[in-house]
Amino acid sequence: MLKKIDDAIYAAERILTLGLIACMALAVFLDVAHRKFNEPVGNIERVLTHFLSMEQATIHTWLVPVVLMLLTFGLCYAGFRTAETEPRIPRKKALGYALATALGMVVFVKGLLFLLPNGLIFSQKMALCMLLWVGFIGASMATREGNHIVFEVADRIWPARIRPYVKHVAAGSAVVFCLGLATLAISYTSHHYRDWADSQHIAGVFEGFPAPIWMVYGFLPVPLVIMAFRFARLGVLSTEIDVPKAEEST
Amino acid sequence: MILLALVILLLAMGSPLFVVIGVAGSFAFFVYGGLTTIHDQEIIVVQITEIASKNVFLAVPFFVFSGAIMSAGDIARRLVDFAEALVGWMRGGLAVAAVLACVCFAAISGSSVVTLIAIGGIMFPALTRAGYKEPFTIGLLATAGSLGCLVPPSLPMLIYSISVSGQSAVDVRELFLAGLGPAFLIAGMLSLYAVLRAGPVAQSQRFSFGRLKQTFVRGIWALALPGLILGGIYGRVFTATEASAVSVVYAVVVETLIHRSLSFKQLPAVVLKSVSNLGALMLIVLLSFSINYFMVEQRVADSALAMVRDLGLGAGGFMMAINVFLVVTGMFMDSISAIVLFTPIIAPAATSLGIDPLHLGVVFIVNMEIGYLAPPIATNLFVAATIFKRPFGMVTKAVLPTLGILCVGLVLVTYIPTLSTGPVYALKGEGFYQPFTKLDPTPTPTPAPGIDATPTETPGKTLTIQEMMEAARKRREEEAARAAAGESPVASPTPEASPSATPAKTMTIQEMMEAAKKRREEEAAASPSPTSSP
C-alpha cells in the first residue's frame, strides 16, 4: 500500500519536475532572445559600425537584417548538412530547409517582439522560484532513489549485530529533521501569508514577479513531508533488516 | 565540542549529509546564536529561500541539465576522435589526447565526475589496448577528469561566487576566465607527464589533415558550445545565468536534431536522472548557507584573521596554511559543502591581507580539485574504481604521481597570481602582470552573508526573523514616506526580509503585522489610492 502511494507520488513528481524545468529554461531563453533582438543597437550593428564607414541608418535598416539573416541561414544550413540522418540530407534540400527554418526564425522573433513588447522581465525571478521547487522535489526523488550523500562509515564501525538498528536510527533522524524543517517552512510561510492578506495583496509579493511569496514558499513543506515519508518507508519501517549472512548462520 | 560530537555521531550512524549539516546549523543557532524558539529557528528557512534572490544560482541546474543531455549523447566520442586526430601522432599522443578531451568535455559538462565517466569510459580501454600501463592510465584519467572544476562553466566556481560577498565578492564571469590559465597550466603539465612517461608507446598514428578535418566537422557542434558560452559571456551578449539557459536549448537542438544520438522520448529520462542528483546537491548547499550565515554573524572570520595576525604568517604563509587546510579538508569533506562552509571564514581574512579575491577563488577551486583525488573521501577515485573495475587501493596508488603534479600546479597557481588573474585584468586594460598582494590591506572587514546582509552590531547575537522582517518593513515605510513626499522611490534589493539593516530591537511578528496594518489603514484614509509598494 505504502509502495503504491510512493509510486504515484514519484510519477507525479517526475511530471511536475519536467514541466517546471521546461518552463524555466524556455522562459530564460526567450527573455534573452527578446532582449537581444529588442536592443536599439545590437552587437552585430556595433561591429559593422566599427568596421564600415557607412551611415548608421543604412547599417541599422538594411545591413544588419541582411547579415543576421545570412548568419541564421548559414547556421541552419550547417545544421542540416551535418545532421546525422540516414540518408544524409542532400545539398539542395538542405538549402531549402535552411531557408525555410531561417524564415521561420524571423517570424518567431517578430512574433515574440509583437506578443511580448516588454519581454519576460520576470523570467529569472520566476525560474528561481521554480528552482526552489525543482530542488526540493529532486531531493525527495533522491530519497526514493537512494541518491543522498551518505558517508558509509556506519558499515565499518558498528558491530554487525547492531548495524541494522543504527541504520534505522539514522533514517529516523532524517525523518525528524525533514518534518522539523517542514514545520519551520510552514511557520515562515504563514508570516508572508498574513503580510499578503493584511495588505490586500499589495505586500508579500516578489519584486518584479507578481506572485505571492507564501504561494512559492508554501510548497516547500510538501516535498519535505514526502521525504520524511520516504525515509520512514525505506528506513525506519523497512522490515528488511540486512543482517549479514555470517550473523544469520550463527 | 557538543556540536562536534553531534556531527560525528550523525555521520557515524550514516545519516544523510544534508541532515548532518542541517542539524549542525540548527544546533549552532540554538546554542551559540541564542535562537531558541521555533520562530527564531525559521532563520534556516530564510537562508534556504534566499536563493530566490541569487540569480547566479540559476546557472547551476541549467549547466547540470545541459551537461547531462550532452553526456547522454555521443559528444564524448566525437571529442576523443578530434583530440586523437589533433595530437595522437606525437609521442604519448593518445594520452595527451585523453587530457585534451577531458578539458574540452569539462567545458561542456562543468563537472569532474561526469567528465571522468564520459572520457574515462572511452579512453581507458583505448589507452591500455595501445600499451599504456594501467596505473599510469588510471592516474592520468582520474586527474585530468578533475579539471572539470577549473574549466568554465564550473559548478564549484558558481557555488564559490554565490558563497562570497562583501569585499571578497567575485564576479562569476571573471572567476570563469581566471580559471582558464590554471586549467591550461595543469593540463599542460599532465600532457608533459604523459609524453615523458609514454615509455615504449611512441605514437599511435600518423598525422592526417584529412582525418583532422573529418573529426573536426563531426565534433564541431560540441566544440562550438564552449565558444558559444564563453564568447557569449565575455562578448556581453548574455550573463552567465542566461548562458546556462542558452546552453540547455543548444544541447537539446544539437543532440536531438543534428547528432540524433538522443530522441525526444529519451530526453525526459536523461533530465530526470540529473534532477535527483541536483536535488541531493541543492539541499546540502542550501542548508550549508545557514551555517555560512551563522559563521558570518558570529564573526568567525574576525577570529580567524586575528589568529593569522597573531601567528604573523603574512600573505605568503597564510596562503600556504590555507592550502594545507583545504587539502586536508578536501580529503574528508565533499567539495561543494567545503566551499560553502569555509569561504566566509577564509575569504575575508585573505582579502584583508591583500590577496585578490579572484586569485583566492581559483586557489580554492584547485584545492577542491585535489580534494576530488585525495582519499579517503575522494569522489573521483571512487568513480574511477567503479568505472575501471579496479580495487580502490590500486586506484589510490595509481593517482599518486599525478596528484603530485596537481600539488606542484597548486603551488604555482598560489604564488603566481598572474596565471589566474592576469587575463582578467588584461581584458580590463589594467595590465597582465599581477603582484602577489595587490589590494591595500584593510582592517578586518567582515563579509556579508548571501547577497547584501551585514552582521549585527553585537557579535554573538544572530538576527532573528522578527528583526529581519522589521528591517524589511522599515525599508517599505521609508519608501512609502518618500513616495508620499513626491520623491522617486529607491529600488530595494528584495521585498523579502533581508538582514541588511540593524534595527534597534525586536517586535513580535504579531506586533509587526499590526503596525503594518495600521500604517496601511492610515495611508488608505489619507489617500484613496494606496501609494505603498513592496
Side-chain angles (χ1 to χ4, degrees):
Chain A
M1 177 64 183
L2 286 178
K3 188 179 179 306
K4 276 187 182 171
I5 295 173
D6 196 1
D7 289 346
I9 294 172
Y10 187 60
E13 281 176 336
R14 288 165 68 93
I15 293 168
L16 182 60
T17 314
L18 275 178
L20 288 170
I21 291 168
C23 278
M24 284 162 63
L26 265 182
V28 179
F29 176 76
L30 288 180
D31 183 41
V32 179
H34 184 282
R35 196 162 39 76
K36 291 322 291 178
F37 287 104
N38 208 21
E39 277 177 348
V41 181
N43 288 30
I44 292 176
E45 187 168 338
R46 246 175 255 133
V47 172
L48 290 176
T49 313
H50 184 78
F51 286 107
L52 300 176
S53 52
M54 289 170 76
E55 269 185 45
Q56 179 85 24
T58 316
I59 291 176
H60 183 82
T61 320
W62 297 105
L63 207 53
V64 172
V66 170
V67 171
L68 253 178
M69 186 66 193
L70 281 175
L71 275 176
T72 315
F73 173 75
L75 271 175
C76 293
Y77 178 71
F80 283 111
R81 284 293 288 162
T82 51
E84 300 195 353
T85 53
E86 271 312 322
R88 289 282 172 131
I89 301 171
R91 192 166 294 185
K92 275 187 183 170
K93 257 191 179 176
L95 278 170
Y97 287 162
L99 191 63
T101 313
L103 287 173
M105 283 185 176
V106 171
V107 172
F108 171 75
V109 168
K110 291 283 175 200
L112 185 70
L113 296 178
F114 177 75
L115 290 173
L116 299 166
N118 298 318
L120 291 163
I121 45 171
F122 55 85
S123 64
Q124 290 203 16
K125 196 71 181 175
M126 184 186 78
L128 277 167
C129 293
M130 288 177 169
L131 173 61
L132 254 184
W133 290 18
V134 168
F136 274 78
I137 298 172
S140 157
M141 289 163 70
T143 311
R144 184 190 152 106
E145 293 166 12
N147 259 353
H148 282 293
I149 299 172
V150 175
F151 293 121
E152 286 160 358
V153 282
D155 289 339
R156 293 179 201 165
I157 59 172
W158 299 101
R161 202 183 309 165
I162 63 164
R163 205 177 294 153
Y165 304 102
V166 171
K167 283 188 179 174
H168 279 48
V169 176
S173 71
V175 172
V176 172
F177 178 76
C178 290
L179 290 178
L181 200 57
T183 311
L184 293 178
I186 291 168
S187 176
Y188 178 57
T189 306
S190 68
H191 304 315
H192 283 294
Y193 177 75
R194 261 175 268 146
D195 200 15
W196 178 78
D198 290 350
S199 66
Q200 279 92 45
H201 311 172
I202 295 168
V205 293
F206 289 101
E207 191 177 8
F209 174 48
I213 296 171
W214 68 266
M215 225 179 255
V216 175
Y217 296 169
F219 178 76
L220 301 187
V222 178
L224 284 168
V225 170
I226 296 172
M227 276 169 78
F229 162 72
R230 282 183 175 149
F231 275 117
R233 187 177 87 77
L234 301 171
V236 184
L237 300 178
S238 167
T239 50
E240 293 166 20
I241 295 185
D242 51 343
V243 180
K245 279 180 184 159
E247 197 78 10
E248 278 174 2
S249 61
T250 56
Chain B
M1 209 59 199
I2 306 169
L3 179 63
L4 191 66
L6 186 68
V7 167
I8 291 172
L9 178 70
L10 285 170
L11 283 174
M13 285 196 319
S15 293
L17 185 59
F18 79 88
V19 175
V20 180
I21 291 174
V23 169
S26 173
F27 188 80
F29 279 121
F30 185 86
V31 175
Y32 307 107
L35 302 185
T36 50
T37 68
I38 285 192
H39 283 312
D40 292 341
Q41 287 279 323
E42 283 169 23
I43 192 79
I44 294 170
V45 183
V46 174
Q47 291 307 309
I48 287 174
T49 54
E50 271 289 312
I51 67 151
S53 58
K54 293 174 183 171
N55 281 10
V56 178
F57 205 92
L58 207 50
V60 175
F62 284 152
F63 279 131
V64 168
F65 296 142
S66 71
I69 294 166
M70 298 291 244
S71 312
D74 62 349
I75 277 193
R77 164 55 62 194
R78 287 163 199 262
L79 289 176
V80 164
D81 288 346
F82 173 69
E84 233 186 296
L86 189 68
V87 293
W89 52 271
M90 54 195 269
R91 180 187 159 92
L94 198 58
V96 178
V99 175
L100 188 64
C102 280
V103 173
C104 292
F105 196 83
I108 289 168
S109 72
S111 157
S112 288
V113 173
V114 176
T115 304
L116 176 57
I117 293 171
I119 303 295
I122 295 170
M123 288 310 276
F124 181 67
L127 284 164
T128 45
R129 228 185 359 253
Y132 289 90
K133 286 178 184 164
E134 258 193 21
F136 164 82
T137 306
I138 291 173
L140 186 77
L141 289 174
T143 311
S146 73
L147 284 171
C149 281
L150 266 178
V151 181
S154 141
L155 298 185
M157 281 185 177
L158 281 165
I159 300 290
Y160 182 89
S161 73
I162 295 166
S163 304
V164 289
S165 51
Q167 290 194 351
S168 319
V170 290
D171 181 343
V172 71
R173 289 181 312 176
E174 293 182 349
L175 192 59
F176 278 173
L177 188 57
L180 273 179
F184 287 135
L185 171 79
I186 293 171
M189 288 165 72
L190 288 174
S191 301
L192 188 65
Y193 168 72
V195 171
L196 296 176
R197 283 291 305 274
V201 188
Q203 60 189 67
S204 59
Q205 55 181 272
R206 284 178 176 278
F207 179 76
S208 153
F209 188 75
R211 185 160 183 265
L212 182 66
K213 189 182 156 197
Q214 187 197 7
T215 53
F216 177 74
V217 171
R218 272 201 83 220
I220 190 161
W221 295 101
L223 291 165
L225 183 59
L228 175 81
I229 293 171
L230 299 180
I233 290 173
Y234 298 115
R236 307 246 164 212
V237 179
F238 33 66
T239 63
T241 310
E242 292 165 346
S244 63
V246 171
S247 77
V248 173
V249 176
Y250 180 89
V252 171
V253 170
V254 168
E255 284 302 332
T256 55
L257 299 177
I258 298 176
H259 288 171
R260 295 185 180 250
S261 50
L262 273 181
S263 67
F264 279 105
K265 270 189 183 171
Q266 290 171 309
L267 262 184
V270 171
V271 173
L272 284 170
K273 202 174 160 193
S274 57
V275 166
S276 158
N277 294 333
L278 174 77
L281 172 79
M282 241 181 88
L283 204 52
I284 291 170
V285 172
L286 295 180
L287 288 165
S288 299
F289 276 128
S290 60
I291 298 186
N292 177 316
Y293 177 81
F294 169 79
M295 288 199 281
V296 171
E297 285 290 318
Q298 295 296 315
R299 303 195 173 180
V300 177
D302 289 357
S303 314
L305 183 58
M307 203 172 80
V308 169
R309 289 211 166 125
D310 287 347
L311 291 171
L313 287 175
F318 174 77
M319 287 303 274
M320 184 52 80
I322 289 304
N323 281 338
V324 172
F325 173 75
L326 288 177
V327 167
V328 174
T329 305
M331 288 164 71
F332 295 98
M333 265 188 95
D334 161 62
S335 299
I336 299 285
S337 323
I339 289 172
V340 180
L341 290 179
F342 295 117
T343 42
I345 304 174
I346 293 170
T351 310
S352 67
L353 287 171
I355 292 158
D356 191 312
L358 268 179
H359 176 212
L360 179 78
V362 173
V363 171
F364 214 111
I365 302 296
V366 177
N367 273 295
M368 292 301 109
E369 193 181 338
I370 293 174
Y372 272 96
L373 295 166
I377 314 289
T379 318
N380 272 25
L381 295 192
F382 288 127
V383 174
T386 310
I387 58 168
F388 303 145
K389 296 187 177 65
R390 294 293 179 274
F392 183 73
M394 186 260 186
V395 174
T396 306
K397 267 188 202 165
V399 91
L400 286 177
T402 42
L403 197 57
I405 292 174
L406 217 50
C407 289
V408 173
L410 172 66
V411 172
L412 291 176
V413 172
T414 301
Y415 292 104
I416 311 174
T418 305
L419 284 171
S420 50
T421 55
V424 179
Y425 289 111
L427 270 184
K428 284 180 177 175
E430 294 176 25
F432 188 75
Y433 173 75
Q434 299 298 317
F436 185 62
T437 51
K438 190 183 178 191
L439 312 168
D440 293 330
T442 50
T444 64
T446 309
I451 30 170
D452 61 352
T454 50
T456 47
E457 282 169 357
T458 40
K461 176 75 181 83
T462 305
L463 275 173
T464 63
I465 181 79
Q466 283 87 345
E467 287 167 335
M468 289 184 192
M469 298 285 270
E470 171 65 2
R473 190 89 48 207
K474 267 192 178 173
R475 218 174 29 234
R476 259 187 245 149
E477 280 174 6
E478 283 167 15
E479 277 172 24
R482 261 188 236 115
E487 292 173 28
S488 61
V490 177
S492 65
T494 63
E496 301 156 71
S498 164
S500 57
T502 47
K505 169 81 203 158
T506 179
M507 296 158 95
T508 62
I509 295 238
Q510 283 74 10
E511 286 168 341
M512 245 160 40
M513 296 291 179
E514 278 302 309
K517 201 172 169 183
K518 263 189 190 170
R519 179 175 50 79
R520 282 191 209 106
E521 281 167 5
E522 283 166 14
E523 281 170 11
S527 151
S529 58
T531 52
S532 70
S533 65

